[in-house]
Amino acid sequence: MLIGHIKEIVRYPVKSLHGESVQKTKVMEYGLYGDRSHAFLDETRPGKFLTITQFPEMVRYKARFVGEELMEEYPRVEITTPEGKVVDWGDEDLIREIENKSKRKVSLVKYTPSYVPLGAIEEEHIQLVTDASLLKLKEIWGKEVNYQRFRPNLLISLKEKVPFIEETWFDRRIKIGREVEIQLKRHCERCMIVTVNPDNAEQDSSLLKTLVQQRNNHFGVYASVIKTGEIHVGDEVFLLE
């Protein structure tokens, strides 16, 4: 059954930095190609990543891949700082800037194109949200909602605009385009990250409070990859029987 189409595809080459909207990408066994494949490790908390939770201004640093999606190695990762300076991943000045602003010692970690562990991409392979649910949340919250607050991978435009209908599809599969299949798994429980405005890093706790009070702290759903392949913006999305 046709349920809609892919409106946006977003991946995050560097964990907790602003992601990039792409027209097409590969879907790997771990999720979108290169999603959360690079990360800052927080040396003040051994074994933990530095994230927006500890350093909200991370959302103002924009990361993108520059080049072809190769399986041997990632394309160059380009990072644009809040001041507009463009540097490459691993730039020493960038590392010092992150350390000075966050007041934490950091180190870098990079995974391979064929494998990114769940610890880097959180709970499941892919997170998706729908346009109908975003519109309903705007009504509930009473303010404009930037979907990037939720850091999804896929924004689906539904054929029938039924808010939160995606939450009735758990354990079912959806097909995207001609190749890719994912299985919807469970709710995405939200945290303080949604309080951070992705444009300016300003915080507004009222959104999280609204989700807790009105939505049992749920927004968006997690999915696991069943069949890999390539997806494109505009691909049709089918709910499989």
Side-chain angles (χ1 to χ4, degrees):
M1 177 176 68
L2 177 65
I3 58 172
H5 67 272
I6 298 296
K7 187 172 182 178
E8 287 207 43
I9 301 170
V10 186
R11 66 181 172 201
Y12 305 85
V14 180
K15 184 177 177 68
S16 277
L17 299 197
H18 196 289
E20 61 169 340
S21 182
V22 297
Q23 289 299 303
K24 65 177 182 178
T25 190
K26 297 184 182 75
V27 175
M28 312 292 291
E29 290 182 354
Y30 59 79
L32 301 190
Y33 175 93
D35 193 37
R36 279 87 166 187
S37 57
H38 299 63
F40 292 98
L41 292 173
D42 184 351
E43 296 299 336
T44 66
R45 302 180 306 134
K48 302 288 187 179
F49 298 105
L50 180 67
T51 71
I52 296 167
T53 302
Q54 295 81 40
F55 179 37
E57 197 178 350
M58 290 183 84
V59 298
R60 298 186 64 210
Y61 290 80
K62 299 179 179 180
R64 70 183 187 110
F65 287 119
V66 181
E68 186 181 352
E69 294 182 359
L70 301 175
M71 295 310 302
E72 298 77 21
E73 61 180 349
Y74 287 116
R76 179 169 61 87
V77 176
E78 180 185 274
I79 297 171
T80 304
T81 71
E83 294 72 34
K85 183 180 179 181
V86 179
V87 298
D88 286 344
W89 171 255
D91 180 85
E92 292 294 334
D93 289 339
L94 174 66
I95 296 171
R96 283 194 292 270
E97 180 176 318
I98 295 292
E99 289 183 330
N100 290 336
K101 286 184 175 181
S102 68
K103 296 180 172 55
R104 295 165 186 266
K105 176 70 175 174
V106 301
S107 59
L108 308 183
V109 63
K110 180 176 77 171
Y111 301 100
T112 66
S114 60
Y115 174 72
V116 178
L118 272 182
I121 56 176
E122 301 297 349
E123 308 282 345
E124 294 287 350
H125 304 150
I126 286 174
Q127 185 208 150
L128 63 87
V129 299
T130 67
D131 58 349
S133 297
L134 284 165
L135 192 61
K136 185 63 176 180
L137 182 59
K138 174 187 173 183
E139 178 186 322
I140 295 170
W141 189 32
K143 300 180 183 181
E144 287 292 336
V145 181
N146 184 341
Y147 77 93
Q148 293 180 349
R149 282 182 181 267
F150 304 100
R151 302 182 68 79
N153 297 117
L154 303 177
L155 173 58
I156 296 179
S157 178
L158 294 175
K159 184 179 177 184
E160 296 183 14
K161 307 299 184 185
V162 181
F164 312 118
I165 193 171
E166 60 272 18
E167 296 175 359
T168 70
W169 297 334
F170 294 149
D171 296 325
R172 297 184 68 179
R173 295 185 183 188
I174 63 175
K175 185 173 184 178
I176 304 171
R178 292 178 294 179
E179 302 175 309
V180 172
E181 289 185 21
I182 61 177
Q183 184 171 14
L184 301 189
K185 303 291 284 189
R186 55 194 173 87
H187 297 283
C188 181
E189 293 188 14
R190 307 317 310 201
C191 66
M192 67 74 59
I193 287 175
V194 304
T195 70
V196 181
N197 185 322
D199 294 323
N200 56 25
E202 293 180 359
Q203 292 182 250
D204 183 345
S205 62
S206 66
L207 176 56
L208 185 57
K209 289 177 181 176
T210 298
L211 289 172
V212 170
Q213 293 168 358
Q214 303 292 329
R215 295 282 308 137
N216 199 27
N217 202 26
H218 295 153
F219 191 82
V221 297
Y222 284 125
S224 58
V225 175
I226 304 299
K227 292 183 180 179
T228 61
E230 190 169 90
I231 58 173
H232 309 75
V233 170
D235 276 351
E236 292 181 325
V237 179
F238 297 89
L239 183 65
L240 302 180
E241 298 299 330

